[in-house]
Amino acid sequence: MKDFIFQNTDRVYFGKNALDYLGAEIKKYGKRVLLVYGGGSIKKNGLYDAVVNAVKAEGLKLFELSGVEPNPRHTTANKGAMICKKNKIDVVLAVGGGSTIDCAKGVAAAAVTKSGEVWDLVKTYTWVGKALPVIAVLTNAATGSEMDEWAVISNMDTNEKIGLGGDALIPKAAFENPEYSYTLPEYQTACGAFDIFNHVLDNYYLAGEDSFDLITEFQEAVMRAVVKWAPVAMKEPENYEARANLMWASSMALNGILDAGTLHNCACHAMEHELSAYYDITHGHGLAIVAPRWLTYILDEKTAPQIYRFGVKVFGLKEGMEEFEGAKAAIKALETFCFETLGLKKNLSDLGIDETHFKAMAEHACRGSAITGPKTLTPADVEEIYKMCL
């Protein structure tokens, strides 16, 4: 286990009455508010009106940035930053899923810079220590952006999708009412669920000697929750218990608690970000295609015991198998979960993707070097994994 420092200052209001506290929480940070949201679904389910009423009830001035994309563009964040500069915005309010919250973080970071250009921060991997306050109202359990210090921004002009991080990007408060995820389509529920699952599997779980028992048990519990409740939410979209478990799993998976002393580079996310950057696919779906192939590729005598344990603890495989065979069974269980339980298409070719850009994507995923983790991956390794996904 490595040394670590943990701090997360995000105040979370969770439950059916969470929005009762929204206006007062925003008012702590100023009077001029930029509301950031996506394609308008929040207007159909009544959340938009509830948020606007809560803001105006406190006498706050509201401005808007709508139309945030599923893979939020740097141009959209720049537009929001300009609104902030022009109107002297005090606080950025994101209402939506992870893409909306990520965009709001990009807005908040760029708004306090001279240029107002978020890509200036992204391309230099600047750690953001200063930004406008961000408050998040969550509608989709997936990315964990409601409670972490990260955002992922896409530049479609250069086919790049890169993370932007910084302490200043942790939301000051998050509002999580599972009822506002009832209207999510089955496909989005499935993709979001696997995003949660893969945050744990990809980021922390196979950390080897850098793990310790308490955190490993937490990690397995979050993945088990996704396995249990995702199919329920897909079948019964208004099942509050299912939606609540997924929503809290989303926050727990990426708020820093589970990576205590265990963090390594995230191979599946690095590889999938290239797929999203080139083909604009849904992030969780791309992860579901990549993850089983990644595990297959890294399976060896060193990783087999951990992968087998993953199968036992998360999918209920029987104990006592030979470790290599148990690990193969664990990967098979993961495939069944992704492609049968969640119903996601299993191959990149199913999404119209061929190997045209694989070499360039692999090079960029490795940042010109390699992806470290349970097994170090070179660009040649990554390219081979992409081909396994076809």
Side-chain angles (χ1 to χ4, degrees), residues 26-305:
I26 295 172
K27 195 174 183 179
K28 293 178 183 179
Y29 302 98
K31 296 182 178 180
R32 301 174 74 82
V33 183
L34 177 64
L35 172 60
V36 180
Y37 60 99
S41 62
I42 65 170
K43 291 186 175 181
K44 297 177 182 178
N45 65 13
L47 179 55
Y48 174 87
D49 290 337
V51 168
V52 169
N53 290 338
V55 171
K56 291 186 175 180
E58 294 291 338
L60 308 179
K61 179 74 171 177
L62 191 65
F63 301 83
E64 294 190 14
L65 172 68
S66 62
V68 175
E69 306 86 357
N71 290 304
R73 312 295 198 256
H74 75 293
T75 50
T76 305
N78 291 345
K79 181 180 177 182
M82 289 300 104
I83 295 173
C84 291
K85 285 177 171 292
K86 179 180 178 180
N87 297 285
K88 298 181 179 179
I89 296 296
D90 298 311
V91 57
V92 181
L93 172 62
V95 181
S99 295
T100 296
I101 302 171
D102 281 6
C103 183
K105 291 178 179 181
V107 169
V112 301
T113 67
K114 184 177 181 179
S115 70
E117 297 281 336
V118 72
W119 204 250
D120 290 346
L121 300 172
V122 174
K123 70 182 180 183
T124 55
Y125 301 99
T126 300
W127 189 253
V128 179
K130 183 180 180 182
L132 293 177
V134 175
I135 290 177
V137 179
L138 183 64
T139 62
N140 182 12
T143 72
S145 192
E146 69 277 358
M147 207 177 174
D148 73 15
E149 70 270 37
W150 294 100
V152 181
I153 305 297
S154 295
N155 185 332
M156 305 310 287
D157 298 330
T158 58
N159 296 123
E160 292 179 281
K161 181 176 178 180
I162 304 176
L164 176 68
D167 298 335
L169 300 183
I170 298 175
K172 300 299 183 183
F175 296 81
E176 303 187 27
N177 180 349
E179 293 174 315
Y180 288 121
S181 63
Y182 284 176
T183 57
L184 283 172
E186 184 176 300
Y187 176 70
Q188 293 299 330
T189 298
C191 291
F194 194 76
D195 194 5
I196 299 167
F197 187 98
N198 195 247
H199 281 153
V200 183
L201 176 63
D202 187 23
N203 292 17
Y204 321 126
Y205 187 71
L206 301 175
E209 295 178 356
D210 293 336
S211 298
F212 63 110
D213 286 350
L214 177 64
I215 295 299
T216 300
E217 295 282 353
F218 282 172
Q219 293 163 0
E220 290 162 351
V222 171
M223 289 188 285
R224 282 198 303 270
V226 175
V227 171
K228 177 179 179 179
W229 291 108
V232 178
M234 292 169 65
K235 184 178 180 180
E236 305 170 28
E238 296 189 11
N239 185 308
Y240 184 86
E241 188 173 8
R243 294 293 191 182
N245 272 275
L246 290 176
M247 190 164 277
W248 192 236
S250 168
S251 296
M252 289 295 294
L254 214 60
N255 65 8
I257 289 176
L258 299 189
D259 68 348
T262 68
L263 187 64
H264 56 74
N265 286 340
C266 315
C268 293
H269 275 71
M271 289 185 280
E272 199 293 318
H273 283 172
E274 298 305 307
L275 291 168
S276 295
Y278 274 83
Y279 299 102
D280 203 21
I281 66 173
T282 302
H283 178 55
H285 194 168
L287 289 172
I289 292 173
V290 169
R293 278 72 176 215
W294 168 65
L295 285 179
T296 299
Y297 193 82
I298 69 169
L299 176 58
D300 57 23
E301 291 183 358
K302 182 180 178 181
T303 60

